[in-house]
Amino acid sequence: MYEYITGVLAKITSKYIVVETGGIGYILHVANPYAYSSQVGQNLTIYLHQVVREDAQLLYGFSTEEEKQLFLNLISVSGIGPVSALAIIACDDNTGLVKAIEGKNITYLTKFPKIGKKTAQQMVLDLEGKISVALDEAPEQSPSSQETSNQSLEEAMEAMLALGYKATELKKIKKFFEGTSDTAENYIKSALKMLVK
């Protein structure tokens, strides 16, 4: 029903962003909300996919049409819902996902949250030869202080929980990053790399 939305990025949370247009704030569920941190208060265009459930109408947002297409491919696989698809897309190296599908690497695919062996095999069966990804990487940003960094780490862990990763896994990762300085976006990218290796 919706192709895209253009408006002002009004708010970022660990689970979604809010884009305001025409006096209405739209909640958009995105793979990594903190990837949009540098655009708060700015106009942006987000590609959309609407999911209508019995109890809710949800909008999923994507920075590129390629990212949206990858999401649509993933949710077409039996056993993968929108939340799992976002968790897969949030992984920094989507070319790794494509290689795993093309190379029938079931072990790699089962490292994503809520993806078991059966679903991983279904991904290979349904998507082999059908996906290729060229997603834009956001520029790296430097945090201004240690306080920002600690806040960024907390935000990153909240976002990872929202994507379906377990608190026990995240506890080890949080400990690994303690005392470091980075943005929430970069913490998420680094953590995802660690989790899918």
Side-chain angles (χ1 to χ4, degrees):
M1 184 178 178
Y2 299 110
E3 179 65 22
Y4 61 84
I5 185 171
T6 298
V8 174
L9 179 58
K11 181 180 178 183
I12 294 176
T13 75
S14 60
K15 294 183 179 182
Y16 59 83
I17 61 173
V18 176
V19 174
E20 184 183 333
T21 184
I24 300 171
Y26 293 88
I27 291 175
L28 308 180
H29 298 273
V30 295
N32 179 356
Y34 298 109
Y36 297 90
S37 296
S38 64
Q39 295 171 278
V40 174
Q42 296 178 18
N43 258 311
L44 75 169
T45 297
I46 304 286
Y47 296 92
L48 300 175
H49 176 69
Q50 184 181 27
V51 173
V52 179
R53 298 191 325 217
E54 201 173 289
D55 60 343
Q57 292 189 38
L58 304 170
L59 288 174
Y60 292 88
F62 312 94
S63 56
T64 65
E65 289 185 89
E66 290 80 12
E67 190 179 72
K68 178 181 174 179
Q69 190 55 53
L70 177 60
F71 175 85
L72 294 175
N73 283 328
L74 288 168
I75 62 172
S76 73
V77 176
S78 174
I80 299 182
V83 174
S84 294
L86 279 188
I88 293 168
I89 288 171
C91 184
D92 182 36
D93 185 10
N94 285 291
T95 54
L97 169 67
V98 175
K99 284 178 187 171
I101 289 169
E102 296 303 320
K104 299 179 174 67
N105 187 343
I106 304 301
T107 307
Y108 182 94
L109 297 173
T110 55
K111 291 185 180 178
F112 293 112
K114 299 178 184 172
I115 302 296
K117 190 176 177 183
K118 191 176 176 184
T119 305
Q121 288 168 338
Q122 193 65 46
M123 284 172 77
V124 170
L125 193 65
D126 291 354
L127 301 178
E128 189 180 4
K130 293 181 185 171
I131 60 171
S132 59
V133 196
L135 301 179
D136 297 330
E137 289 207 16
E140 302 226 346
Q141 301 162 355
S142 344
S144 52
S145 68
Q146 188 63 35
E147 187 184 327
T148 306
S149 153
N150 292 339
Q151 179 64 30
S152 296
L153 185 56
E154 292 298 326
E155 290 172 348
M157 294 302 104
E158 281 179 39
M160 297 285 287
L161 276 171
L163 288 170
Y165 287 95
K166 294 177 184 158
T168 48
E169 293 175 311
L170 299 180
K171 196 174 179 183
K172 293 173 192 170
I173 286 172
K174 188 177 177 185
K175 197 168 184 180
F176 178 82
F177 287 119
E178 276 175 6
T180 62
S181 298
D182 216 331
T183 62
E185 177 191 3
N186 287 336
Y187 277 132
I188 291 168
K189 285 183 176 183
S190 301
L192 286 165
K193 276 183 178 176
M194 291 166 71
L195 285 165
V196 297
K197 275 183 181 171

